[in-house]
């Protein structure tokens, strides 16, 4: 019997495909945490070959500007895909990158509280610390 996909694995797989299409590179790993009203997507091993060359030349700003442009283009598609996957209404999408570590964090803020009573924090996530970090980064 095939395993059913979890919401997290569907979101992670969809986003990885989208990133491959638009960035030419798929992350080594994608970790998704859904805890309304947020979805946090942590990407590891995500630096395209052309970006790697720019980072080695200390051209961080060029890489970050390019990623910002691409992410702004992808926001509507991400919103649509989250609606298709789980009928989630997205209010905002934010992305932050750590180029040296080849990591990134995409935070999706949901517009409503529909279905949140079924969302649980992962046992190893400190809910209070998570909210503090979101507020600090704002």
């Amino acid at each position: 019997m095939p395993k059913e996909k979890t919401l997290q694995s569907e979101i992670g797989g969809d986003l990885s495909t989208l990133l491959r299409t638009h960035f030419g590179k798929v992350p080594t790993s994608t970790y998704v945490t859904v805890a309304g009203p947020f979805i946090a997507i942590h990407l590891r091993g995500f630096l395209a070959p052309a970006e790697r060359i720019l980072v080695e030349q200390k051209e961080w700003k060029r890489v970050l500007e390019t990623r910002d442009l691409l992410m702004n283009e992808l926001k509507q598609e991400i919103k649509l895909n989250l609606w298709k996957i789980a009928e989630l209404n997205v209010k905002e999408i934010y992305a932050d990158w750590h180029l040296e570590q080849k990591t990134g964090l995409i935070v999706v803020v949901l517009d409503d509280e529909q279905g949140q009573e079924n969302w649980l924090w992962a046992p190893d996530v400190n809910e209070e610390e998570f909210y503090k970090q979101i507020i600090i980064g704002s």
Side-chain angles (χ1 to χ4, degrees):
M1 176 189 321
K3 288 185 179 179
E4 286 188 36
K5 284 188 172 183
T6 64
L7 176 61
Q8 289 85 350
S9 66
E10 282 192 61
I11 292 170
D14 182 75
L15 186 66
S16 291
T17 300
L18 193 62
L19 293 174
R20 181 186 318 113
T21 301
H22 294 279
F23 283 86
K25 169 95 172 96
V26 64
T28 303
S29 59
T30 304
Y31 299 97
V32 178
T33 302
V34 179
F38 304 108
I39 299 174
I41 305 162
H42 182 242
L43 309 170
R44 294 174 68 188
F46 186 61
L47 192 66
E51 292 176 327
R52 182 185 52 77
I53 293 168
L54 290 170
V55 168
E56 287 172 359
Q57 295 176 2
K58 308 289 188 230
E59 293 288 344
W60 319 102
K61 188 176 179 183
R62 290 178 196 246
V63 176
L64 293 172
E65 287 172 348
T66 302
R67 283 193 176 190
D68 283 347
L69 290 170
L70 287 168
M71 286 304 297
N72 284 335
E73 282 293 313
L74 296 178
K75 284 181 181 180
Q76 286 302 87
E77 193 167 348
I78 292 170
K79 288 178 179 182
L80 178 62
N81 290 351
L82 288 173
W83 176 256
K84 288 179 182 177
I85 291 170
E87 295 185 0
L88 298 172
N89 292 317
V90 175
K91 182 176 181 180
E92 299 287 339
I93 299 175
Y94 302 97
D96 192 24
W97 311 103
H98 192 298
L99 299 175
E100 287 180 315
Q101 292 185 4
K102 303 177 188 170
T103 62
L105 179 67
I106 298 172
V107 176
V108 177
V109 181
L110 300 174
D111 193 27
D112 61 24
E113 308 225 355
Q114 177 185 6
Q116 287 183 16
E117 65 277 358
N118 297 322
W119 297 352
L120 302 174
W121 288 94
D124 60 337
V125 174
N126 179 326
E127 181 179 353
E128 185 176 319
E129 186 61 29
F130 179 81
Y131 283 111
K132 280 184 192 175
Q133 291 302 316
I134 295 296
I135 291 169
I136 290 169
S138 296

